[in-house]
């Protein structure tokens, strides 16, 4: 029996509630655990703001988007925070261990605390699917489905008006959503942060289908950096982690493409729609398996580990394997898609 804290931190994604439910049910049934849900990520630890999570509080939540615990991009080291303060907070809430559900930034903080002796198990999450050491993160499948459905809709209006349509999807550092949604919708170009493309190349990929009587479709990740630019397009300041808020590269490209090709061009930014709403069945299953595995790892006292999926198996990896290096789209996957551009 243990008293375990759970927190969700960083950008939300569909499947977080399924993890929370699975942790609580597995812990109560298998180990007679008690759970405390820390509210709004690390802020809940610092401010000791938490709710008891019992059987009833997780009833029916696996299918809900977002997170019942709230999230934030707060770090426990903001505003003079220290490891000692975190340890004191956890002790005062009588917590034996912490399950931390988050992306690369959150897991980096988890690793720092774990190195100082805090008993932590990590669970990877992000729609971007950019965490190393796991084949997939939950949220990604749902985001790809949402993007695919939206792009299918853009294609029909593009076809009616004989326009070039640009769909901008999420993907700060990596282009997994763009690659998958672009391939699923037979895009004529997929532009991702990992790969350069010149304006001439993009216009060529637009012009060819147009000449065949097809409405050109471009899927671009928000982090794509076109020729002549040194960093991703950002016109909306910085976020809480002092990272540029991305979004708008599609709108930036549209007039250039229209001017160079003479083809009327429209851009749509899907933005946070990709992170909202109900998780796909596949994401619910992955999230549930990871949640149960996280509790089991805590009972094995396998501190400093992250639960992950490799092929169809749930495994444990050291948190250090999950951070530091992002899981980018390999050259071979891009080259495979490239053969169908234009
Ligand atoms: O990290 C996931 C992500 O959705 C990125 O693709 C995007 O750049 C960022 O979060 C947006 O963050 P926020 O919700 O803080 O605007």
């Amino acid at each position: 029996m243990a008293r375990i804290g759970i927190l969700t931190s960083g950008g939300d994604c569909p499947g977080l509630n399924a993890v929370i439910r699975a942790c609580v049910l597995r812990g109560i049934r298998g180990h007679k655990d008690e759970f405390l849900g820390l509210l709004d990520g690390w802020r809940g630890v610092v401010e000791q703001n938490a709710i008891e999570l019992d059987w009833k509080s997780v009833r029916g939540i696996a299918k809900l988007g977002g997170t019942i615990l709230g999230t934030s991009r707060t770090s426990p080291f903001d505003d003079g925070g220290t490891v000692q303060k975190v340890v004191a907070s956890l002790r005062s809430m009588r917590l034996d261990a912490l399950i931390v559900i988050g992306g690369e930034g959150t897991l980096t903080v988890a690793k720092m605390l774990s190195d100082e002796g805090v008993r932590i198990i990590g669970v990877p999450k992000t729609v971007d699917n950019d965490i190393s050491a796991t084949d997939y993160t939950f949220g990604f499948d749902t985001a790809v489905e949402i993007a695919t459905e939206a792009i299918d809709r853009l294609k029909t209006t593009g076809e009616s008006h004989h326009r070039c349509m640009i769909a901008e999807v999420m993907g700060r550092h990596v282009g997994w959503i763009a690659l998958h949604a672009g391939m699923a919708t037979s895009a004529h170009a997929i532009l991702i942060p990992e790969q350069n493309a010149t304006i001439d190349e993009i216009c060529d990929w637009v012009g060819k289908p147009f000449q065949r009587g097809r409405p050109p479709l471009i899927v671009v990740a928000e982090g794509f950096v076109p020729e002549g630019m040194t960093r991703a397009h950002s016109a909306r300041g910085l976020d809480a982690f002092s990272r540029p808020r991305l979004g708008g590269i599609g709108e930036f490209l549209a007039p250039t493409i229209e001017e160079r090709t003479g083809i009327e061009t429209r851009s749509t930014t899907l933005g946070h729609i990709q992170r909202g709403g109900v998780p796909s069945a596949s994401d619910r299953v992955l999230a549930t398996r990871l949640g149960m595995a996280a509790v089991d790892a805590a009972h094995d006292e396998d501190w400093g580990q992250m639960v992950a999926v490799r092929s169809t198996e749930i495994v444990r990896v050291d948190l250090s394997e999950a951070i530091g290096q992002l899981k980018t789209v390999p050259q071979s996957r891009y080259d495979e898609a490239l053969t169908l551009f234009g």
Side-chain angles (χ1 to χ4, degrees), residues 11 73 126-128 170-172 222 239 243 246 272 275:
R73 294 198 188 275
T126 163
V127 289
D128 287 358
M170 279 186 165
R172 171 171 287 273
E222 60 182 358
D239 70 11
R243 306 177 312 175
L246 302 187
H272 291 84
R275 289 209 329 231

Side-chain angles (χ1 to χ4, degrees), residues 283-297:
D283 278 340
R284 292 182 212 184
V285 172
L286 177 57
T288 300
R289 294 181 72 202
L290 291 174
M292 292 193 292
V295 168
D296 289 344

Side-chain angles (χ1 to χ4, degrees), residues 233-237 245-247:
H233 179 82
S234 168
R236 294 185 290 129
R245 285 205 187 92
L246 302 187

Side-chain angles (χ1 to χ4, degrees), residues 64-235:
L64 298 183
T67 161
I68 60 163
L69 299 178
T71 186
S72 69
R73 294 198 188 275
T74 307
S75 158
F77 305 126
D78 288 347
D79 304 324
T82 61
V83 173
Q84 290 69 27
K85 285 184 184 169
V86 171
V87 171
S89 261
L90 297 178
R91 196 168 291 144
S92 134
M93 290 185 281
R94 295 183 292 109
L95 287 174
D96 301 311
L98 208 50
I99 291 177
V100 172
I101 312 166
E104 206 230 349
T106 305
L107 296 172
T108 301
V109 170
K111 169 72 179 149
M112 288 161 74
L113 292 169
S114 168
D115 286 347
E116 297 295 327
V118 180
R119 298 160 140 205
I120 288 188
I121 304 293
V123 179
K125 70 87 221 174
T126 163
V127 289
D128 287 358
N129 196 36
D130 60 1
I131 299 180
S132 293
T134 185
D135 288 355
Y136 287 99
T137 43
F138 61 85
F140 170 65
D141 182 69
T142 308
V144 170
E145 281 300 320
I146 293 169
T148 299
E149 208 230 295
I151 296 168
D152 282 345
R153 289 172 190 273
L154 291 177
K155 282 178 76 170
T156 66
T157 160
E159 187 143 31
S160 309
H161 289 270
H162 316 289
R163 286 173 176 156
C164 168
M165 302 304 279
I166 302 178
E168 181 185 307
V169 298
M170 279 186 165
R172 171 171 287 273
H173 302 294
V174 304
W176 286 109
I177 297 177
L179 183 79
H180 281 227
M183 197 172 254
T185 55
S186 311
H188 300 105
I190 300 170
L191 308 176
I192 61 176
E194 296 92 329
Q195 296 286 339
N196 295 119
T198 65
I199 299 293
D200 282 347
E201 280 172 318
I202 297 169
C203 290
D204 187 49
W205 292 325
V206 166
K208 280 182 176 155
F210 194 76
Q211 276 153 25
R212 295 195 303 270
R214 302 289 301 142
L217 169 68
I218 296 180
V219 177
V220 59
E222 60 182 358
F224 169 68
V225 183
E227 169 204 26
M229 280 172 63
T230 51
R231 63 178 90 97
H233 179 82
S234 168

Side-chain angles (χ1 to χ4, degrees), residues 12-25:
D12 71 342
C13 78
L16 289 168
N17 286 323
V19 179
I20 297 166
R21 170 182 173 272
C23 288
V24 171
L25 295 191

